[in-house]
């Protein structure tokens, strides 16, 4: 009995919520609310999974997690609306990476010094700023939600080739200077062929130059891509950006402060604000309308059921006489897919095993000879990638706007707290409970509730819908202080 | 030559100067006991060797290489197995996973399975159970088995008999004696009866300093010393 207490609590909560919905709004509206709730739950889950894993393994409350959700959404949207962005930016990142690889090698061969690497890194940051100074950002981020490339002519969207080449050299130099600061942290114990990194570096450098030289042809190709391909590209670019950003934040900002929770909270909170401002600086204060959806979800018609949708590919589907957007079903599907994928990873992979062990005792994991710091970085990057992916998936649903990060982060935090910090299953459950509560709250606002004997339906203000999630958290925490799936001993 | 040599290490934890000059030698193939009262610094010594609480000064030499100051995972992967006090097994993982996570190369567990399951036959039967469901004695066996999975040359075993019933302690002693045929052991235990019968050599620390070391047989001839530093009567 005791073992199943969490499951029983969860079933009870969801059962009560659903029953309330059906009793108050009737099957039609309640089902619609249920589906909306699942959509929100999928997004909360994508954001919360990383939060929970990162907290469980590293004891870091990452208040900057919402930033990754938002940056993922913005980057995905931008790549979707203006895929030539890749041509303008990828070579720069490649040059930086090549320089960095060489710098790390160099840093390993010169004698260790306390200050020198950091002085060099400071210089490197200077050179990096010099390298990207004056880079034309506006044409890159001006894009339309539906068509590729927007209204910007090619000539305006790209700098002259020689200027870009100079930038490549500058960024490679910046990487070279930054490298030694990272050399100390990443000591390779396994010896591989010394030529492999050299070949990799030369390959990446060649790729950067090739991208630039062939950019005219490639641009035509990229702008001619179909909506579906661009959507996939957006997913990949968003998630990859999230992973890279997460790894960067972990190695540079979080790592020096493990075991100092207050510092971490202040740091990540600051990062949240700084990130939001940075997004406003790059993309502007105004949000964008929802991104276009893949073709399978875009025909303006209503399919009677899912089977019919397979051939008709309508933008909405009939649910008990009401239309429900099919794209939201995709969001739910992606949420479920990631839920299952990460669960399998945790259960059956070696990384998953290490994570589960590390959640309990990361010192002992390290004492077994496992580089637990590297696992931390990997998990941080993975969690960040999930959040960023959530952002991209959300872009056709809610659009993008500079406050989306903090808004969704708050909800994801509540979901994680309800489910039990550090518990993966708990996060999924918390997200579900929260999504349902939110959707029911919204329905309460739009349709009101008619209790028997009342002449007019009682309408709630939108504030009530927003407050409902916090209310649920309060109730859950009063009954189970560690959350539904949390360990009460801790 | 000693497999592991600690030379005058000083370790600080926060403000506290815990180890103020600990030196010891563990010859290859021996069981060496690290003796001392509660709070003398035995556990900190083990953690300092492994790099979990790195010493501020002094040297730790393992198989001829200086290892102090390196990250703990690197030190461990050189072939040092750690069996910490309170076992520190992963209770959420199954028994088998607890062993598999200790693999440094794919197939380590398969190679050592016969040896491990002959020492601890119970574990084979319990392989699929969550390790949290095991009894205290079984958990201790698992913690030692875990350290035997990779090719470790030395095991640092901390308080293995703690909280175990006398009959289990007998069993544990037998297991440690048998595994010491294959791997060197540095053993910390409050139970002097047990350590004195197991160990070939000893090193005694008091208040964070090494005060004596030598052959266990010689120490047993000096009940006065034992009473003074350990409070034990034999």
């Amino acid at each position: 009995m005791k073992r199943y207490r969490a499951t029983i609590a969860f079933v009870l909560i969801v059962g009560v919520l659903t029953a309330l919905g059906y009793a108050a709004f009737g099957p039609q509206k309640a089902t619609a609310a249920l589906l909306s709730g699942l959509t929100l739950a999928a997004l909360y889950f994508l954001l919360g999974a990383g939060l929970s894993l990162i907290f469980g393994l590293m004891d870091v409350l990452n208040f900057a997690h919402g930033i990754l959700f938002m940056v993922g959404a913005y980057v995905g949207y931008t790549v979707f609306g203006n895929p030539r962005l890749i041509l303008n930016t990828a070579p720069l990142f490649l040059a930086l990476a090549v320089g960095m690889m060489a710098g790390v090698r160099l840093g390993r061969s010169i004698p260790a010094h306390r200050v020198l690497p950091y002085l060099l890194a400071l210089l490197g940051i200077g050179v990096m700023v010099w390298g990207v100074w004056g880079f034309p950002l506006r044409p890159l981020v001006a894009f339309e939600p539906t068509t590729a490339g927007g209204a910007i002519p090619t000539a305006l969207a790209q700098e002259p080739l020689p200027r870009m080449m100079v930038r490549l050299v500058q960024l490679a130099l910046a990487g070279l200077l930054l490298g030694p600061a990272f050399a100390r942290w990443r000591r390779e114990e396994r010896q591989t062929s010394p030529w492999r990194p050299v070949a990799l570096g030369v390959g990446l450098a060649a790729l950067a130059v090739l991208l630039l030289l062939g950019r005219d042809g490639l641009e035509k190709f990229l702008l001619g891509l179909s909506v579906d391909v661009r959507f996939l590209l957006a997913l990949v670019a968003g998630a990859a950006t999230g992973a890279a950003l997460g790894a960067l934040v972990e190695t540079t900002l979080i790592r020096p402060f493990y075991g100092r929770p207050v510092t971490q909270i202040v740091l990540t909170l600051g990062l949240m604000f700084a990130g939001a401002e940075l997004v406003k600086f790059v993309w502007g204060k105004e949000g964008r309308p929802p991104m276009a959806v893949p073709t399978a979800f875009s025909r303006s018609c209503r399919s009677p059921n899912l089977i019919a949708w397979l051939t008709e590919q309508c933008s909405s589907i009939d649910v008990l006489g009401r239309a429900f957007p099919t794209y939201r079903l995709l969001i739910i599907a992606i949420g479920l897919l990631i839920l299952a994928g990460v669960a399998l990873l945790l259960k059956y992979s070696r990384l998953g095993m290490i994570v589960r062990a590390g959640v309990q005792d990361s010192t002992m994991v390290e004492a077994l000879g496992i580089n637990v710091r590297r696992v931390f970085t990997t998990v941080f990057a993975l969690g960040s990638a999930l959040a960023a992916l959530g952002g991209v998936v959300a872009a056709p649903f809610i659009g993008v706007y500079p406050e989306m990060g903090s808004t969704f982060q708050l909800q994801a935090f509540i979901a994680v707290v309800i489910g039990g910090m550090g518990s993966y299953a708990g996060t999924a459950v918390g997200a579900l409970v929260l999504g349902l509560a939110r959707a029911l709250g919204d329905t309460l606002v739009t349709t009101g509730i008619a209790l028997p004997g009342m002449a007019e339906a009682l309408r709630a203000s939108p504030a009530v819908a927003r407050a409902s999630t916090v209310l649920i958290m309060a109730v859950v925490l009063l009954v189970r202080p560690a959350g539904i799936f949390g360990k009460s001993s801790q | 030559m000693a497999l592991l040599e600690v030379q005058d290490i000083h370790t600080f934890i926060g403000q506290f100067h815990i180890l103020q000059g600990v030196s010891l030698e563990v010859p290859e193939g021996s069981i060496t006991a690290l003796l001392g009262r509660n709070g003398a610094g035995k556990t900190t010594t083990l953690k300092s060797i492994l790099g979990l609480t790195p010493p501020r000064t002094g040297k730790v030499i393992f198989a001829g290489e200086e290892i102090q100051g390196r990250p703990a995972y690197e030190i461990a992967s050189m072939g040092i197995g750690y069996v910490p006090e309170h076992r520190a097994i992963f209770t959420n993982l199954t028994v088998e996973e607890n062993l598999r996570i200790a693999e440094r190369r794919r197939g380590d567990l398969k190679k050592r399975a016969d040896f491990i399951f002959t020492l601890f036959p119970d574990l084979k039967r319990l392989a699929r159970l969550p390790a949290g469901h095991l009894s205290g004695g079984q958990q201790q066996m698992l913690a030692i088995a875990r350290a035997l999975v990779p090719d470790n040359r030395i095991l640092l075993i901390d308080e293995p008999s703690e909280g175990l019933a006398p009959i289990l302690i007998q069993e544990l002693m037998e297991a440690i004696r048998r595994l010491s045929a294959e791997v060197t052991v540095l053993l910390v235990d409050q139970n002097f009866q047990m350590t004195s019968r197991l160990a070939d050599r000893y090193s005694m620390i008091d208040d964070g300093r090494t005060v004596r070391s030598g052959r266990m047989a010689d120490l047993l001839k000096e009940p006065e010393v034992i009473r003074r530093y350990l409070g034990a009567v034999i």
Side-chain angles (χ1 to χ4, degrees):
Chain A
M1 188 63 196
K2 209 169 176 183
R3 269 179 71 194
Y4 300 109
R5 202 188 269 170
T7 319
I8 292 169
F10 160 60
V11 171
L12 262 178
I13 294 175
V14 171
V16 166
L17 279 176
T18 327
L20 272 179
Y22 276 88
F25 308 120
Q28 199 192 35
K29 276 181 184 164
T31 309
L34 204 69
L35 284 171
S36 295
L38 282 173
T39 313
L40 285 174
L43 294 179
Y44 295 155
F45 171 74
L46 285 174
L47 203 51
L51 268 180
S52 180
L53 279 176
I54 290 167
F55 177 79
L57 187 61
M58 299 162 231
D59 290 325
V60 172
L61 271 178
N62 183 14
F63 278 101
H65 211 64
I67 283 292
L68 296 154
F69 177 77
M70 173 164 64
V71 168
Y74 269 98
V75 167
Y77 202 149
T78 311
V79 168
F80 177 80
N82 189 5
R84 75 181 142 206
L85 168 79
I86 296 169
L87 294 178
N88 297 40
T89 52
L92 300 182
F93 285 118
L94 286 173
L96 188 68
V98 170
M100 200 102 122
M101 281 169 59
V104 171
R105 296 249 135 199
L106 218 62
R108 248 180 245 144
S109 56
I110 58 174
H113 193 281
R114 283 179 70 90
V115 207
L116 188 66
Y118 297 99
L119 284 180
L120 286 178
L122 225 56
L123 197 64
I125 290 172
V127 174
M128 196 157 76
V129 171
W130 181 39
V132 296
W133 195 258
F135 186 79
L137 218 46
R138 289 282 158 228
L140 284 183
V141 298
F143 50 82
E144 306 279 328
T146 47
T147 58
I152 306 115
T154 304
L156 266 179
Q158 293 180 341
E159 286 187 301
L161 210 50
R163 182 75 191 88
M164 279 302 276
M165 290 294 182
V166 172
R167 286 195 196 279
L168 283 195
V169 175
Q170 286 169 326
L171 281 169
L173 183 66
L176 198 65
L177 290 169
L178 282 169
F182 290 92
R184 204 168 52 98
W185 290 340
R186 304 163 117 247
R187 206 184 322 219
E188 298 286 330
E189 60 266 40
R190 265 172 260 120
Q191 284 295 320
T192 48
S193 152
W195 292 106
R196 200 181 287 172
V198 174
L200 185 64
V202 171
L204 289 181
L207 182 63
V209 174
L210 276 179
L211 275 178
L212 277 188
L213 291 179
R215 64 182 189 175
D216 291 333
L218 283 169
E219 182 183 24
K220 264 202 201 75
F221 167 72
L222 281 175
L223 292 184
L225 289 175
S226 73
V227 176
D228 294 341
V229 176
R230 282 188 290 130
F231 184 76
L232 281 179
L233 212 58
L235 287 180
V236 172
T241 308
L245 216 57
L248 185 74
V249 166
E250 197 275 341
T251 47
T252 56
L253 295 176
I254 308 280
R255 185 171 289 192
F257 302 112
Y258 279 122
R260 289 160 69 179
V262 177
T263 316
Q264 284 165 356
I265 288 175
V266 174
L267 188 84
T268 53
L269 209 55
L271 216 57
M272 177 87 214
F273 291 119
E277 290 308 311
L278 209 63
V279 164
K280 281 187 207 161
F281 169 74
V282 174
W283 279 281
K285 279 183 195 137
E286 303 296 316
R288 309 281 167 112
M291 191 172 110
V293 296
T295 40
F297 309 93
S298 62
R299 264 187 66 205
S300 53
C301 54
R302 194 198 293 187
S303 300
N305 54 46
L306 266 181
I307 310 282
W309 167 79
L310 283 178
T311 52
E312 296 171 359
Q313 312 206 320
C314 287
S315 65
S316 62
I317 183 174
D318 189 279
V319 178
L320 299 177
R322 282 167 68 99
F324 187 80
T326 41
Y327 179 75
R328 295 196 201 169
L329 294 178
L330 180 70
I331 298 183
I332 298 173
I334 290 178
L336 287 174
L337 214 65
I338 298 287
L339 171 70
V342 174
L344 289 177
L345 187 80
L346 281 175
K347 181 116 179 66
Y348 293 110
S349 75
R350 180 162 173 84
L351 177 71
M353 190 162 74
I354 293 171
V355 169
R356 279 183 293 140
V359 165
Q360 190 191 334
D361 188 347
S362 57
T363 311
M364 191 57 224
V365 172
E366 176 160 23
L368 290 175
I370 293 163
N371 186 348
V372 86
R373 289 287 159 104
R374 189 180 297 168
V375 176
F376 283 7
T377 310
T378 311
V379 169
F380 210 95
L382 183 75
S384 304
L386 290 184
L389 186 74
V392 184
V393 172
F397 172 39
I398 54 169
V400 293
Y401 51 96
E403 294 80 30
M404 66 189 291
S406 45
T407 312
F408 270 78
Q409 169 171 302
L410 179 66
Q411 302 299 324
F413 253 115
I414 296 176
V416 171
V417 169
I418 289 179
M421 296 292 293
S423 157
Y424 181 70
T427 304
V429 163
L432 185 58
V433 169
L434 202 68
L436 288 183
R438 189 65 208 262
L440 287 176
D442 284 340
T443 314
L444 193 66
V445 170
T446 50
T447 59
I449 187 166
L451 294 175
M454 281 166 65
E456 207 173 321
L458 182 72
R459 274 171 192 275
S461 80
V464 173
R466 267 178 270 131
S468 66
T469 56
V470 183
L471 195 71
I472 288 201
M473 175 174 77
V475 171
V476 168
L477 288 188
L478 279 175
V479 180
R480 283 184 71 90
I484 298 177
F485 276 74
K487 294 253 168 14
S488 45
S489 59
Q490 284 176 351
Chain B
M1 201 193 80
L3 176 62
L4 176 73
E5 205 181 327
V6 174
Q7 294 178 357
D8 193 31
I9 54 169
H10 289 246
T11 300
F12 292 75
I13 296 178
Q15 302 282 336
F16 302 104
H17 194 168
I18 305 287
L19 300 187
Q20 314 179 3
V22 169
S23 304
L24 58 90
E25 273 186 31
V26 184
E28 181 136 35
S30 73
I31 298 182
T32 301
L34 188 55
L35 305 174
R37 287 176 194 272
N38 259 339
K42 303 183 297 288
T43 297
T44 308
T45 302
L46 296 189
K47 286 186 169 173
S48 297
I49 292 168
L50 206 61
L52 292 174
T53 54
R56 194 173 289 181
T57 57
K59 283 183 186 171
V60 181
I61 300 163
F62 176 67
E65 262 189 87
E66 278 188 31
I67 57 171
Q68 76 276 3
R70 297 195 193 179
Y73 73 89
E74 258 187 52
I75 295 176
S77 358
M78 293 176 76
I80 301 184
Y82 182 42
V83 184
E85 59 181 337
H86 316 308
R87 291 122 200 170
I89 56 155
F90 305 113
T91 48
N92 299 325
L93 273 58
T94 64
V95 170
E96 195 201 329
E97 284 175 329
N98 264 282
L99 297 174
R100 214 145 31 86
I101 196 173
E103 287 188 329
R104 294 201 189 112
R105 281 188 208 86
R106 207 176 264 278
D108 272 352
L109 178 56
K110 216 173 203 171
K111 250 192 313 188
R112 307 280 284 182
D114 281 345
F115 176 57
I116 289 172
F117 292 135
T118 325
L119 274 180
F120 308 114
D122 273 4
L123 294 181
K124 190 168 194 171
R125 183 168 55 79
L126 303 167
R128 304 214 162 265
L129 225 59
H133 291 193
L134 267 52
S135 71
Q138 291 165 335
Q139 293 194 356
Q140 187 61 60
M141 309 291 174
L142 178 58
I144 295 175
R146 183 175 61 182
L148 290 171
V149 170
D151 284 329
N152 282 328
R153 297 182 62 186
I154 186 169
L155 300 193
L156 315 180
I157 307 182
D158 199 356
E159 301 284 3
S161 76
E162 190 190 25
L164 297 190
I167 179 120
L168 284 173
I169 295 180
Q170 286 298 326
E171 212 176 297
L172 185 76
M173 267 178 68
E174 194 45 45
I176 292 177
R177 197 194 306 277
R178 282 167 65 190
L179 70 86
S180 72
E182 305 224 349
V183 56
T184 308
V185 172
L186 177 57
L187 177 67
V188 168
D189 207 294
Q190 284 296 320
N191 186 336
F192 185 68
Q193 299 286 349
M194 166 179 153
T195 43
S196 63
R197 263 180 278 162
L198 272 177
D200 321 305
R201 304 186 56 84
Y202 76 94
S203 191
M204 196 181 277
I205 52 180
D206 191 45
D207 257 348
R209 286 185 189 83
T210 305
V211 287
R212 288 178 83 98
S213 51
R215 286 155 44 86
M216 185 57 92
D218 296 337
L219 178 69
L220 289 173
K221 290 175 200 151
E222 299 180 86
E224 194 50 41
V225 175
I226 295 169
R227 194 160 57 233
R228 186 166 141 214
Y229 288 114
L230 304 176
V233 182
I234 47 168

